[in-house]
Amino acid sequence: MKRYFILGILLCSTLTLSAQTLPNPILFCTQVPQPFGFATSLETFGNHQASTFSAPRGGDLYIRYPDGTLKNLTQLAGYGQTGMQGANSIAVRDPSVHWSGTKALFSMVIGSATTRYQVQSYTWKLYEITGLGKNDTPVITLVPNQPIGYNNVQPIYGTDDRIIFTTDMPLGGAAHLYPQHDEYESSPSVTGIWRLDPKACSVADGLEMLTHSPSGDFTPSIDHAGRVIFTRWDHLQRDQQADADVEEILDGNASTYGTFNYADENANAVKSAILPDGEIFPEPRPGRNDLLSLPQWANTNPQTFNIFNPWMMNEDGTEMEILNHIGRHDMGNYLVQNFTNDANLHDFYTPITPNPIRAMFHIHESPVTPGLYYGIEAPEFGTHGSGMVVKVNAPPGMHAEQVTFTYITHPETRNPTNTPTANHSGMYRNPMPLSDGKVIVSHSQSPSYDQNIGSDTIPLSKYNYRIRLLEPTGSYFKASDTALTGAGITKSVSWWSPDVKLSYNGILWETYPVEVKATPLPTTPTLHPETIASSEQALFTSAGVNLHDFQKFLRRNNLSVLAIRDVTSRDDADQQQPFNLKVSGNTHQTINPSKPAPVYEVKHLQFLQNDLVRGIGGMNTPKAGRRGIAKFLHDPTAMLYNPPTTGAQGSANIHPDGSAAMIVPAKRALTWQLTDANNKGIVRERLWVSTKPGEVRTCTSCHGESTLNQAGQPSPANAPQALTTLLNYVKGIDSDNDGVKDIYDAFPNDPSVHIAEPVNEKFVSNLTNWINQNLDNDAVKWETESNTCHANAAVINNRAANNTGKSDKLRRFVDLSNMDIAKLTFDVAYARYDASKFDKLRVWAITCDGTQELVYDKSGSTLATAPDQTTLFTPADCSQWRNESVNLSAYAGKKVELIFEDVGGWGNRLFLDNILVQETGSSPPCPETQTLTGNITAGKYDASNVITTQNDIQTKILTATTVTFNGGSSVTLQAGFEAQSGSVFKAYIGGCGF
């Protein structure tokens, strides 16, 4: 079936209207009305697609000034077209204003079919606009370093001017996984919330995934406390398309959806049929009697789950959870009890809050009342994401049981109807609280589901979204009769569907209103939180593991730690799953005194990861992309660093104090369950969560307490024994047996290197690792040669020509992102020609935004390591070399370009070697001890404690060899040690990096 839509033409760029009083300008978008709903740009989910069906072309970015004047910003900046929509046509969405109030981000797609039957691929891209003042000329620029070829939408500015947004870029950037299919209809979805740095060197350097969401995260914003607030689609249930296919296959029929399994996430993964069933979590859905009849599901209720919750996290992606830890029983959602044979368990019917909501979209904090958030409760389909305006009071620190929801518009507006009462005032979306306490909305007067009330070639919508103020009416609010844009903005457009020429002539929809004003930065930014509770910090201290260094180890390996203090403790109101829990084989338990039986023994905490391995469309003709399903944790790096377990795959043992801890993969959706001694699930998580690399997160309990647990006690405060077990296990692992424990080894699988050394250049490959710039193309240029004490070194002959004032450079990019402290060292050898003819060596550090710093600058006698000579200089021995050291700590955590520059003065030859960038001054990035024998090659030998030679074993430093020992507490030379004549031997007490 063909789907049609309409685009429009701008008639004027500036209008002056009768003004309703507003404190500041309003930025908003116009759109050609689109009566069709599923997967179009205003829907609750699947709204990120950029086809001309999903996002009708012809809209613009507008601004309304307080006097009522309207300005078409995109048109004045040279974007969009009138009449027949073609290559330069646009659609716009998601404006978001900078903290300064002087610029904004938005998403725009450009292009449409230029001829009949032309089918093309389009994507939303992020743009920035400046010149928002009434007398300014707007300028629009493409945001650098965003994912290429994917849909990038819903951008906001972070507090550090990095950009937080959502995208459908697949997990890990693997193109064969695109698009990710949601857990509902296996439709394309965004993959989570991402962050980019527009000043980074490249997309790879500046782009990071903050959340991984199997079905989608939407509309992030940052509140006054620095929390990122967003809507997450929680739909953790088994694949309903696969269930339908299985039921048809078992009935002897062909499957409708053609679901199948991939063996793994690789591009060439083996495909297999949907039977035998590959899903393991959570419980089967209703209708799967073939599964529910199996012994492992005895007395188990089938489960479905679907809710759009408000979530929060720190700006760096850590501490992600539902807003103020609101539970399903706090907010409102139907969910059946786990087991049918436990009278203590109850279905969720009646939530704690007196005003339950089933979803919350388009969330924005009030600028007048911090911690008060406005949003929309909307149906999933048919209303373009519009419904009832609600607000929730949930400032930081407020317990979930104290959080209150309030209906702003009448409850009848939560659902569309063809038989409205006088209370139904239409459908609402995009509530925006203003700085004067008022609220504006995008409002449609139609109370029913939308549908095409036009024709196939002139489709028309029932909806008429206009931006209006909310006004009080009785106990609730409704939209004002007068729109902020007066009679509205009209266009007349036509376009190819692409099969049929379609047209529209009329008033455009108005959506996404935002206030243009300066906003104070949060007083407590959440960019780099690294602290943990004092009880857990004490465990790190007693284990002799530095928290900061441990987090760096986790970041290097894309890992995080989840620790739970007491898994037996449950929120007192959460009685849908078992709550009388006891540690198997131990006495520790938490029992509800009024309902003390039955008691469930739990032995393991078992994690599952979301693997994109479900295909659809048939094995021979699969649709692009994949759906994620739950698989027992198997990430190989995480598995390497977890202690042995007595449970099934992905399990951690529950300790006698009820605690559990596990290293898990970061940037990967995870869920978990508590299992008994037979690995049967007792309590199951109903949500997916993901973690940030390096995150060490401690929870009080599974499904944690709002205030009190089932025994009437507050949250557990014990220092979890399981974390001690985990730390003691990890700190002893040395994967490559090089004497450096993995938690300090940036190269755990390479015994030749230990710490983060992004550059360790001995020029054994000549200059292949460098950009060699000889801009004058003369005889003076960087080359390599062997010489005394250095097997190969870089050299430049400043006597080859009179190069006075000319520059020759060796350039190289250096990644310091994994460093806290960075030091550059290198060896130099140089002799002047005489007092008037000499050269200069300079070292520059240049960041990606072009900022450059001269970090080393020596010339003439200061640079010289040997006496003047009028013949070509070659270092005679090791004594004519000098080691230089430069502090690069200002660039730690960044990518930087290093430039070694020879500035000629017709002097003499200059030599460079052993260019090393390394991290120093942190916890030991080297062996605790080193014992040396035999012939010792040139270089520096570090040990955090002791360096020694073996007694009566020949140990030699050969002639023309330079060796340095750095021992933390001692350097011991036993009988048999010999430093031969002509060698240079140095020993220091100080340890690694000195």
Side-chain angles (χ1 to χ4, degrees):
M1 182 180 71
K2 297 184 178 68
R3 292 177 173 176
Y4 303 106
F5 61 92
I6 295 180
L7 297 175
I9 298 174
L10 177 67
L11 296 180
C12 51
S13 60
T14 304
L15 296 172
T16 301
L17 309 168
S18 58
Q20 289 178 281
T21 303
L22 293 180
N24 293 297
I26 301 297
L27 204 61
F28 66 97
C29 300
T30 60
Q31 178 183 315
V32 170
Q34 164 60 295
F36 304 102
F38 187 77
T40 53
S41 63
L42 297 185
E43 287 300 314
T44 54
F45 59 89
N47 57 50
H48 63 286
Q49 299 176 82
S51 70
T52 51
F53 171 79
S54 298
R57 310 300 194 258
D60 285 287
L61 184 65
Y62 268 84
I63 191 167
R64 179 199 186 272
Y65 297 102
D67 65 359
T69 301
L70 294 175
K71 181 189 287 187
N72 186 331
L73 297 171
T74 40
Q75 185 192 51
L76 292 173
Y79 289 83
Q81 65 183 116
T82 59
M84 186 70 191
Q85 299 295 289
N88 297 318
S89 63
I90 63 170
V92 296
R93 58 180 291 174
D94 308 319
S96 178
V97 178
H98 187 260
W99 306 93
S100 66
T102 61
K103 57 184 180 179
L105 296 166
F106 68 104
S107 295
M108 180 165 62
V109 58
I110 300 176
S112 182
T114 57
T115 62
R116 191 179 185 185
Y117 303 130
Q118 184 183 72
V119 178
Q120 294 180 322
S121 178
Y122 308 97
T123 57
W124 291 102
K125 296 182 176 65
L126 306 182
Y127 292 84
E128 185 174 64
I129 183 168
T130 57
L132 300 179
K134 192 172 183 181
N135 298 317
D136 295 341
T137 299
V139 176
I140 294 175
T141 55
L142 183 69
V143 172
N145 294 331
Q146 61 184 295
I148 298 171
Y150 301 109
N151 292 292
N152 308 319
V153 295
Q154 301 172 344
I156 63 171
Y157 291 98
T159 58
D160 59 356
D161 277 358
R162 283 185 282 185
I163 295 171
I164 297 169
F165 65 107
T166 65
T167 179
D168 62 354
M169 181 175 177
L171 185 71
H176 65 276
L177 299 178
Y178 180 81
Q180 177 180 293
H181 299 161
D182 67 37
E183 298 167 290
Y184 185 37
E185 298 284 355
S186 291
S187 297
S189 69
V190 293
T191 56
I193 297 176
W194 296 61
R195 181 169 62 174
L196 69 85
D197 183 354
K199 296 181 179 180
C201 298
S202 65
V203 175
D205 295 324
L207 184 66
E208 60 178 325
M209 174 181 264
L210 298 183
T211 71
H212 176 221
S213 178
S215 290
D217 293 332
F218 310 98
T219 58
S221 62
I222 298 179
D223 70 4
H224 80 287
R227 304 185 296 182
V228 177
I229 309 297
F230 58 99
T231 298
R232 165 165 277 217
W233 187 6
D234 294 308
H235 198 67
L236 204 177
Q237 64 174 26
R238 296 198 182 200
D239 185 351
Q240 64 184 19
Q241 274 81 17
D243 280 355
D245 282 350
V246 168
E247 290 169 16
E248 289 174 328
I249 293 171
L250 293 176
D251 289 338
N253 300 315
S255 64
T256 299
Y257 299 101
T259 52
F260 63 94
N261 298 314
Y262 289 96
D264 51 48
E265 290 184 342
N266 293 323
N268 58 351
V270 174
K271 304 183 188 76
S272 61
I274 198 67
L275 284 176
D277 197 304
E279 290 195 72
I280 55 176
F281 187 91
E283 302 92 333
R285 295 175 65 259
R288 286 301 303 272
N289 295 327
D290 59 313
L291 296 179
L292 293 167
S293 63
L294 297 175
Q296 62 263 37
W297 299 114
N299 303 312
T300 298
N301 268 318
Q303 292 288 343
T304 60
F305 190 71
N306 189 28
I307 192 170
F308 292 84
N309 286 311
W311 281 67
M312 66 180 186
M313 66 179 179
N314 291 328
E315 193 176 340
D316 68 346
T318 57
E319 298 290 333
M320 187 181 74
E321 64 175 329
I322 297 181
L323 180 67
N324 284 47
H325 203 73
I326 300 170
R328 297 171 294 280
H329 51 288
D330 298 311
M331 181 173 164
N333 185 51
Y334 175 72
L335 192 65
V336 298
Q337 59 184 289
N338 260 35
F339 300 126
T340 60
N341 60 343
D342 185 345
N344 290 337
L345 304 184
H346 304 284
D347 294 353
F348 284 154
Y349 288 106
T350 305
I352 292 174
T353 178
N355 294 319
I357 64 172
R358 299 164 300 178
M360 195 170 184
F361 301 98
H362 315 151
I363 304 171
H364 282 280
E365 184 185 32
S366 167
V368 177
T369 308
L372 182 66
Y373 306 90
Y374 286 80
I376 296 292
E377 181 186 345
E380 294 177 21
F381 306 108
T383 69
H384 310 293
S386 60
M388 174 178 63
V389 181
V390 300
K391 66 180 180 182
V392 57
N393 186 43
M398 177 178 283
H399 289 297
E401 293 173 4
Q402 300 171 308
V403 170
T404 56
F405 293 89
T406 303
Y407 302 153
I408 302 301
T409 57
H410 195 280
E412 289 190 22
T413 62
R414 77 194 322 164
N415 290 311
T417 177
N418 291 324
T419 57
T421 70
N423 292 322
H424 202 306
S425 56
M427 307 300 288
Y428 298 81
R429 57 172 289 128
N430 303 122
M432 179 56 60
L434 304 178
S435 55
D436 63 354
K438 298 176 183 177
V439 178
I440 57 176
V441 292
S442 180
H443 170 253
S444 171
Q445 293 169 323
S446 172
S448 62
Y449 284 105
D450 198 10
Q451 66 183 79
N452 181 16
I453 56 176
S455 67
D456 287 346
T457 57
I458 307 176
L460 296 173
S461 168
K462 286 184 176 182
Y463 280 33
N464 62 339
Y465 285 119
R466 303 292 304 283
I467 298 173
R468 305 174 189 269
L469 280 164
L470 286 182
E471 298 176 342
T473 172
S475 301
Y476 300 99
F477 286 75
K478 70 177 186 65
S480 169
D481 292 334
T482 304
L484 292 177
T485 58
I489 300 167
T490 61
K491 275 194 174 183
S492 178
V493 293
S494 56
W495 70 99
W496 293 108
S497 69
D499 296 352
V500 178
K501 188 176 182 180
L502 307 179
S503 61
Y504 175 80
N505 183 14
I507 298 175
L508 299 178
W509 282 350
E510 300 162 3
T511 58
Y512 303 108
V514 291
E515 188 174 22
V516 181
K517 64 179 182 65
T519 301
L521 289 170
T523 55
T524 55
T526 60
L527 278 169
H528 305 291
E530 281 197 353
T531 58
I532 58 175
S534 58
S535 55
E536 280 75 14
Q537 178 60 68
L539 299 183
F540 274 86
T541 302
S542 62
V545 177
N546 179 273
L547 172 63
H548 181 70
D549 290 340
F550 185 71
Q551 289 180 309
K552 285 171 56 182
F553 153 73
L554 295 173
R555 285 197 300 270
R556 284 196 300 265
N557 293 283
N558 194 38
L559 300 172
S560 58
V561 169
L562 293 177
I564 301 174
R565 290 177 177 172
D566 186 355
V567 301
T568 70
S569 183
R570 302 284 312 286
D571 184 65
D572 58 352
D574 191 352
Q575 298 182 6
Q576 181 264 342
Q577 300 202 63
F579 50 81
N580 288 325
L581 302 180
K582 179 180 183 292
V583 178
S584 179
N586 289 277
T587 60
H588 182 78
Q589 61 185 11
T590 307
I591 305 298
N592 185 322
S594 62
K595 301 175 181 179
V599 174
Y600 296 81
E601 292 199 0
V602 291
K603 191 167 186 177
H604 306 106
L605 173 70
Q606 185 177 37
F607 279 95
L608 300 99
Q609 63 184 66
N610 186 272
D611 281 0
L612 295 163
V613 294
R614 174 57 49 80
I616 193 169
M619 286 189 285
N620 296 325
T621 57
K623 288 174 60 177
R626 304 192 187 172
R627 179 195 193 271
I629 60 175
K631 293 291 187 180
F632 293 130
L633 183 68
H634 59 85
D635 179 88
T637 310
M639 300 295 282
L640 170 66
Y641 293 113
N642 278 302
T645 175
T646 59
Q649 180 180 328
S651 295
N653 293 337
I654 298 173
H655 281 55
D657 63 344
S659 66
M662 201 162 184
I663 289 180
V664 296
K667 295 189 292 188
R668 167 82 68 171
L670 304 167
T671 192
W672 56 86
Q673 61 181 347
L674 298 179
T675 65
D676 63 14
N678 297 316
N679 299 308
K680 177 184 178 181
I682 303 299
V683 178
R684 296 184 179 90
E685 179 54 76
R686 299 299 181 197
L687 308 174
W688 292 108
V689 298
S690 59
T691 58
K692 181 180 175 63
E695 183 173 3
V696 176
R697 183 169 183 182
T698 302
C699 303
T700 58
S701 55
C702 297
H703 307 272
E705 311 78 2
S706 295
T707 52
L708 299 176
N709 66 15
Q710 72 269 38
Q713 300 298 319
S715 298
N718 58 295
Q721 297 173 9
L723 183 57
T724 295
T725 299
L726 178 66
L727 293 175
N728 285 330
Y729 181 79
V730 175
K731 75 177 186 180
I733 296 177
D734 177 9
S735 298
D736 54 10
N737 297 310
D738 62 353
V740 182
K741 304 304 182 185
D742 285 5
I743 60 173
Y744 300 116
D745 194 342
F747 305 92
N749 299 311
D750 186 347
S752 66
V753 288
H754 305 147
I755 58 177
E757 296 177 346
V759 176
N760 190 355
E761 182 61 77
K762 300 180 183 297
F763 296 105
V764 293
S765 301
N766 300 314
L767 299 177
T768 56
N769 297 323
W770 299 80
I771 298 172
N772 187 1
Q773 284 190 330
N774 179 19
L775 299 178
D776 298 309
N777 198 28
D778 59 9
V780 180
K781 59 183 179 181
W782 285 101
E783 299 174 304
T784 58
E785 73 168 42
S786 298
N787 57 82
T788 303
C789 198
H790 288 250
N792 216 29
V795 59
I796 188 166
N797 182 7
N798 290 298
R799 293 299 300 168
N802 187 345
N803 65 337
T804 303
K806 294 182 180 180
S807 174
D808 291 270
K809 299 175 181 178
L810 291 177
R811 310 174 70 107
R812 179 169 175 173
F813 282 99
V814 181
D815 187 358
L816 309 182
S817 58
N818 195 45
M819 293 186 169
D820 298 312
I821 302 169
K823 183 174 73 171
L824 164 67
T825 58
F826 58 92
D827 293 341
V828 62
Y830 176 69
R832 301 186 309 177
Y833 182 85
D834 57 29
S836 61
K837 294 179 180 179
F838 54 85
D839 311 289
K840 177 182 293 188
L841 177 63
R842 299 195 294 192
V843 181
W844 298 87
I846 304 178
T847 55
C848 298
D849 62 2
T851 302
Q852 62 182 25
E853 180 186 4
L854 185 62
V855 296
Y856 177 93
D857 187 6
K858 290 186 178 182
S859 62
S861 59
T862 304
L863 178 63
T865 62
D868 295 353
Q869 60 185 69
T870 56
T871 58
L872 285 183
F873 168 68
T874 299
D877 54 41
C878 296
S879 66
Q880 290 191 335
W881 286 84
R882 181 178 66 240
N883 184 257
E884 301 279 36
S885 178
V886 177
N887 188 346
L888 294 180
S889 293
Y891 302 97
K894 303 176 183 178
K895 192 169 185 179
V896 65
E897 185 180 22
L898 288 182
I899 300 176
F900 285 81
E901 179 188 25
D902 173 83
V903 181
W906 208 14
N908 215 320
R909 296 215 295 176
L910 169 67
F911 292 81
L912 282 177
D913 203 2
N914 295 334
I915 299 174
L916 175 67
V917 177
Q918 60 181 330
E919 185 169 33
T920 61
S922 58
S923 294
C926 58
E928 182 178 356
T929 63
Q930 284 217 57
T931 301
L932 303 171
T933 59
N935 294 334
I936 303 176
T937 58
K940 182 163 62 72
Y941 296 83
D942 288 332
S944 61
N945 191 15
V946 172
I947 294 179
T948 186
T949 61
Q950 288 191 0
N951 191 36
D952 291 328
I953 301 295
Q954 186 181 69
T955 307
K956 288 186 178 182
I957 301 174
L958 302 177
T959 299
T961 302
T962 300
V963 169
T964 301
F965 287 177
N966 290 332
S969 59
S970 66
V971 174
T972 302
L973 305 178
Q974 304 283 5
F977 174 81
E978 177 185 351
Q980 293 189 340
S981 176
S983 66
V984 177
F985 169 65
K986 303 175 184 178
Y988 297 97
I989 305 301
C992 305
F994 293 92

